[in-house]
Amino acid sequence: MNEELELIGTIERIMFQATDTGFAVFQVQLATHQPIVARGYLHALHTGEQVTLKGAWVTHPKFGRQFEAKSCVAVAPTTIIGLKKYLASGLIKGIGPVYADRLVDHFGDKVLEIIANEPARLREVSGIGEGRLQTIITAWQDQKELSQIMVFLQDKGISSAYAIKIYKKYGQNSITAVQENPYRLATDIWGIGFKIADQIAQNIGIARDSIKRFSAGIIHVITTVVGNGHLYVHLDELKELTRTLLDLTDPDQQEMREKRLSQALHELYEQREVILITYDQEHYITLPTYYYAEQSIATKIKELQAYPHKQSINFDLLDARVRFAQHEHDVSLNEEQQVGVVTCLKNKVTVITGGPGTGKTTLIKKLLYLLDAEHIPYKIAAPTGRAAKRITENTGQAAVTIHRLLSFDFATYSFTHNEKNSLQVGFLIIDEASMLDVFLANALLKALPLSAHIVFIGDIDQLPSVGAGNFLNDLIASGSVPTIRLKHIFRQAQDSLIIVNAHRVNNGEFPISSLPDAKPDFIFIKEEDPARVPEHLMRIFNGGIQRRGIKQDNALVLVPMNRGAIGTQLLNQTLQQIINPGTGMDMLVHGGTTFKVGDRVMQLRNNYDKLVFNGDIGPIIAIDVQDKTVTVSYFGRYVVYESSECDELVLAYAVTIHKSQGSEYEAVVIPIFMQHFVLLQRNLLYTAITRAKKFCILIGQPKAIGMALGNNTSTERITFLQQYLTTNLVCR
């Protein structure tokens, strides 16, 4: 083992710093030597700081001799050069390289003392007005508090990036919150998993066999299962997953720990922190919020159906109006569509489903025409901004996202429209309803007045929602809601190979690349070598789509998974170099990803503070290098991310097929290979193809595509909405 050494020097340059893990590579100037390169998992570092490092010399196979730092104690610099570097490092929001020079030139080596004790004097420096002064004061106070908290959290094994998140969540109460219940970090702080929270808990003295640890493990397993789409977990599976999570493998402790596990489950049940469902002689466990979401949906649908119609529709004239176009702006319907419109008007809750080209949009347009004729107020909404924009373009009527429709109240951290403040609407039409998870569906239905009609429109053959539950499938499977399935493919749709192949795939048939009289809007590129995909992407994005009049920013690559050679993570790096290669522009490096102005990025979680949601995509329109912020435009609304929030963003030149739901792009490229075999399903490929509007390119191995076509057994989600709608199933 190498001897532990102590080095003292000044940080000259930070070569790499991963804010998600705290790992950093940096250059240190020692007093009597040339600069050395050090590395380690350390708290936030800043150029100009004087540091005392403890560790040992190691030899990196690629980069040579480096100092492996196990700990780092930093103090503020005292030299003029050090102070300038320190303040220019981004430590204090509002001070970048320019103001660092001005402040140090004006106040000399007293500058930090002035900032701490006499901040009003900063106005003496040219360019610092009241706004920037307040920013600096707040940032200085935050970093002082953060510094104290960081020392405590680092000692408990928490990285700098997570420490910042903890501070943003709990503020001055951060240390108290962690000491009282470290397991809350796994649910309160996005990105901190159970393993990290568990390690922190043990570091502050919570025993491995404590009831608190077992209870936290059970709750974590349930929430993890929900993250995979389920709403419940079988009791036996819950126990097994908890044993694995808590590493209960010691045979000498087995009997005691089994008792602890049962005791924790019983206490959670008695305290109503978990719900037990018994169905078909099997036991399932969930959290109350998930149980009540499905129960609330079932109750509201039954109430809507039982409540009398209040719409003043003239049903004597309805038949003629539905069958025939009344004027040039009206539309004609086939028999399926006519039945669909009448069903919507005569029933309080209706589902309309069908694949591409079956006339769902035409049906909606006719329904809207009739509602206008009867002066019935209606609203149109969709789960995502792209879906809302598309239905607006297709119908000519304004549509909004469901989140905007329900209006979020920051004071109560809930939707403004709810059971106590219902929407003022006679008809509510929800497009892309297959994307609805149970939580959004529940919020939507709670805000709907009992007098209103609601119509859910979606493609039931697509992938289920990214969020938990199986709302639309369960609604249809229950048989309790009138459902119209449009099957006829219109002639103009048959002229598109995209639509033809979508239906072929849905029927388990291999897609084709040509058809007499059909538009050549679908191409299959046979490729056995995944390593050649970047070559294909280079040709496609540097000429292939442009020849068809399609811009690069209206093309998307869709793949089954994030990891691997043909996953979004590596493909996004490749596509960034193809589409947005600029090196002279403003950029910000975060967690190994370089964000540039012009990059297309995607939000990874629902963030109600910013009103952006999981799967939202938009371009980066500005990066402030000095304040380390990134500004993204979501349908014209600008959202600013601080550096520590950038782990909510990923590049979105390539996204998973699951995340693409509700989106539509002029061109879509779909690489499918055997390395994706775990996820290859028919509805996955079908969903990907239906995202293309003008041009679809399928690249890959015929064997992999054949595997997807042959797998029509999508993963069953454990939900009980169907039973709640049709039986008296209740919790125990």
Side-chain angles (χ1 to χ4, degrees):
M1 178 181 291
N2 292 341
E3 179 185 357
E4 183 168 274
L5 302 172
E6 181 176 284
L7 301 181
I8 299 174
T10 302
I11 297 178
E12 288 288 303
R13 184 164 65 97
I14 297 173
M15 302 155 75
F16 175 78
Q17 191 167 17
T19 53
D20 52 345
T21 64
F23 180 76
V25 180
F26 50 102
Q27 192 177 71
V28 180
Q29 176 65 59
L30 304 181
T32 57
H33 297 82
Q34 292 292 319
I36 59 108
V37 174
R39 71 185 194 198
Y41 291 87
L42 308 168
H43 68 79
L45 302 171
H46 300 280
T47 54
E49 283 182 320
Q50 295 173 359
V51 293
T52 300
L53 304 175
K54 290 185 179 181
W57 289 103
V58 296
T59 301
H60 190 280
K62 183 177 180 180
F63 300 110
R65 193 168 186 251
Q66 296 180 338
F67 189 77
E68 184 85 56
K70 301 299 183 184
S71 69
C72 172
V73 177
V75 296
T78 56
T79 68
I80 296 298
I81 294 176
L83 284 165
K84 286 186 175 181
K85 287 184 177 181
Y86 183 65
L87 290 174
S89 68
L91 170 72
I92 305 170
K93 190 174 181 180
I95 302 178
V98 172
Y99 284 101
D101 284 347
R102 291 182 186 178
L103 285 165
V104 176
D105 288 343
H106 189 79
F107 295 113
D109 59 7
K110 303 294 185 184
V111 63
L112 298 183
E113 184 181 327
I114 297 295
I115 294 173
N117 302 319
E118 301 178 81
R121 289 191 59 194
L122 299 184
R123 291 197 195 90
E124 298 172 16
V125 175
S126 173
I128 296 183
E130 188 60 33
R132 186 173 294 274
L133 174 63
Q134 291 305 316
T135 298
I136 293 170
I137 292 172
T138 301
W140 178 259
Q141 185 62 33
D142 286 348
Q143 73 87 22
K144 274 179 59 181
E145 292 174 355
L146 180 60
S147 197
Q148 296 169 354
I149 291 168
M150 193 80 76
V151 172
F152 169 81
L153 296 179
Q154 185 186 12
D155 185 54
K156 307 307 176 188
I158 302 176
S159 75
S160 59
Y162 292 144
I164 292 169
K165 288 187 174 186
I166 291 168
Y167 177 70
K168 284 188 174 181
K169 176 70 177 179
Y170 306 122
Q172 295 177 343
N173 299 319
S174 297
I175 294 175
T176 302
V178 172
Q179 288 176 323
E180 286 180 350
N181 182 12
Y183 290 108
R184 68 188 293 188
L185 299 177
T187 53
D188 287 357
I189 311 295
W190 189 76
I192 293 185
F194 181 85
K195 291 291 186 183
I196 295 174
D198 192 34
Q199 186 60 56
I200 295 166
Q202 291 175 51
N203 288 346
I204 65 173
I206 294 177
R208 283 179 55 81
D209 58 357
S210 71
I211 289 295
K212 180 180 285 189
R213 180 172 186 257
F214 278 71
S215 298
I218 291 167
I219 298 298
H220 179 74
V221 166
I222 297 172
T223 55
T224 300
V225 167
V226 169
N228 294 327
H230 304 286
L231 286 173
Y232 304 81
V233 57
H234 194 281
L235 179 59
D236 291 340
E237 184 183 6
L238 172 65
K239 290 181 177 179
E240 185 58 35
L241 290 171
T242 304
R243 292 186 193 104
T244 302
L245 177 70
L246 301 181
D247 192 23
L248 308 181
T249 56
D250 187 346
D252 296 334
Q253 302 287 326
Q254 184 174 356
E255 184 177 351
M256 180 272 290
R257 286 178 170 170
E258 284 300 313
K259 288 182 179 178
R260 290 283 177 147
L261 181 57
S262 296
Q263 182 184 351
L265 262 170
H266 182 74
E267 288 187 8
L268 288 171
Y269 175 74
E270 288 295 317
Q271 295 163 5
R272 302 295 288 175
E273 292 186 46
V274 299
I275 296 286
L276 173 66
I277 293 286
T278 300
Y279 177 71
D280 200 19
Q281 299 184 328
E282 299 288 342
H283 301 301
Y284 299 88
I285 301 290
T286 189
L287 301 185
T289 184
Y290 309 143
Y291 167 77
Y292 288 117
E294 281 201 320
Q295 276 282 2
S296 176
I297 289 171
T299 299
K300 185 58 178 280
I301 286 175
K302 291 175 183 178
E303 290 175 346
L304 282 166
Q305 292 174 320
Y307 198 84
H309 291 262
K310 291 245 177 141
Q311 310 301 344
S312 58
I313 298 173
N314 187 336
F315 285 101
D316 292 332
L317 298 176
L318 179 63
D319 184 65
R321 285 185 171 182
V322 171
R323 287 179 179 274
F324 306 105
Q326 303 297 308
H327 55 72
E328 62 179 347
H329 299 299
D330 195 3
V331 291
S332 297
L333 306 179
N334 69 4
E335 188 172 347
E336 285 180 345
Q337 294 169 315
Q338 292 171 24
V339 172
V341 169
V342 172
T343 302
C344 294
L345 293 169
K346 289 188 173 182
N347 292 275
K348 300 293 291 302
V349 184
T350 308
V351 173
I352 305 292
T353 184
T358 56
K360 296 190 297 296
T361 299
T362 303
L363 186 155
I364 297 172
K365 290 172 71 173
K366 184 72 171 187
L367 177 61
L368 297 181
Y369 164 75
L370 294 172
L371 294 176
D372 283 333
E374 295 289 341
H375 306 292
I376 296 172
Y378 59 82
K379 293 185 184 295
I380 313 169
T384 67
R386 283 192 172 273
K389 181 181 179 183
R390 188 170 71 249
I391 194 171
T392 297
E393 293 170 346
N394 290 339
T395 65
Q397 301 295 325
V400 297
T401 64
I402 295 172
H403 290 89
R404 187 173 293 276
L405 175 75
L406 299 179
S407 183
F408 191 74
D409 181 4
F410 291 99
T412 61
Y413 220 71
S414 61
F415 289 117
T416 300
H417 290 293
N418 50 43
E419 61 270 36
K420 296 180 181 179
N421 179 30
S422 60
L423 296 163
Q424 300 301 304
V425 64
F427 258 78
L428 182 58
I429 299 164
I430 303 299
D431 197 23
E432 295 285 0
S434 62
M435 296 181 64
L436 287 175
D437 62 33
V438 292
F439 309 114
L440 192 55
N442 183 35
L444 185 67
L445 286 165
K446 284 200 296 186
L448 191 69
L450 288 173
S451 59
H453 292 229
I454 188 166
V455 181
F456 296 105
I457 300 174
D459 187 346
I460 200 63
D461 294 318
Q462 289 186 25
L463 291 167
S465 60
V466 174
N470 210 1
F471 171 73
L472 190 63
N473 278 276
D474 287 346
L475 206 59
I476 294 172
S478 72
S480 61
V481 172
T483 300
I484 303 299
R485 180 153 192 164
L486 303 178
K487 299 178 181 178
H488 175 74
I489 306 173
F490 285 85
R491 175 61 192 166
Q492 59 268 34
Q494 294 177 18
D495 292 340
S496 167
L497 280 174
I498 293 174
I499 293 177
V500 168
N501 281 323
H503 287 279
R504 285 181 66 87
V505 166
N506 203 28
N507 293 327
E509 301 171 317
F510 205 92
I512 57 178
S513 292
S514 64
L515 193 68
D517 301 323
K519 293 181 290 187
D521 56 4
F522 184 98
I523 294 175
F524 170 55
I525 300 175
K526 181 181 178 181
E527 180 55 74
E528 295 291 342
D529 185 3
R532 294 194 61 200
V533 167
E535 297 176 31
H536 292 293
L537 295 179
M538 180 75 76
R539 285 194 294 270
I540 290 167
F541 282 88
N542 282 341
I545 58 173
Q546 287 91 337
R547 285 193 291 272
R548 292 174 178 261
I550 298 172
K551 297 179 180 178
Q552 289 180 335
D553 60 2
N554 215 331
L556 189 68
V557 176
L558 299 178
V559 288
M561 59 182 60
N562 288 312
R563 299 185 183 278
I566 311 299
T568 62
Q569 293 173 353
L570 288 178
L571 287 181
N572 270 315
Q573 294 178 24
T574 298
L575 289 162
Q576 186 186 49
Q577 291 304 309
I578 295 171
I579 298 172
N580 193 25
T583 57
M585 60 181 65
D586 290 341
M587 59 183 67
L588 184 145
V589 179
H590 180 89
T593 299
T594 300
F595 294 106
K596 307 176 186 177
V597 172
D599 278 337
R600 183 195 302 158
V601 294
M602 180 171 64
Q603 173 76 14
L604 289 179
R605 73 177 186 106
N606 289 344
N607 186 325
Y608 288 95
D609 291 327
K610 296 183 183 297
L611 282 181
V612 290
F613 304 99
N614 188 358
D616 282 355
I617 294 176
I620 294 176
I621 60 163
I623 292 177
D624 189 320
V625 177
Q626 179 167 286
D627 289 343
K628 293 190 176 181
T629 62
V630 172
T631 302
V632 182
S633 173
Y634 296 105
F635 301 100
R637 192 173 68 87
Y638 295 168
V639 176
V640 179
Y641 295 80
E642 295 184 10
S643 177
S644 62
E645 298 172 320
C646 285
D647 55 359
E648 295 185 19
L649 297 175
V650 292
L651 295 174
Y653 299 108
V655 304
T656 63
I657 297 168
H658 281 83
K659 291 281 192 179
S660 73
Q661 294 177 76
S663 298
E664 187 178 68
Y665 282 79
E666 291 189 358
V668 164
V669 184
I670 311 166
I672 298 289
F673 289 85
M674 286 303 297
Q675 60 185 255
H676 301 135
F677 75 94
V678 176
L679 294 176
L680 292 180
Q681 295 175 341
R682 187 184 300 179
N683 62 353
L684 186 89
L685 183 55
Y686 172 76
T687 300
I689 292 173
T690 56
R691 301 306 91 204
K693 186 177 180 180
K694 292 184 178 180
F695 191 33
C696 181
I697 304 172
L698 180 62
I699 306 173
Q701 299 163 322
K703 181 180 179 181
I705 296 167
M707 177 177 283
L709 295 173
N711 183 6
N712 198 30
T713 55
S714 56
T715 304
E716 292 289 332
R717 293 187 171 186
I718 303 175
T719 64
F720 286 113
L721 178 58
Q722 181 181 343
Q723 286 75 20
Y724 297 150
L725 285 165
T726 56
T727 70
N728 293 320
L729 180 66
V730 294
C731 69
R732 289 174 52 193

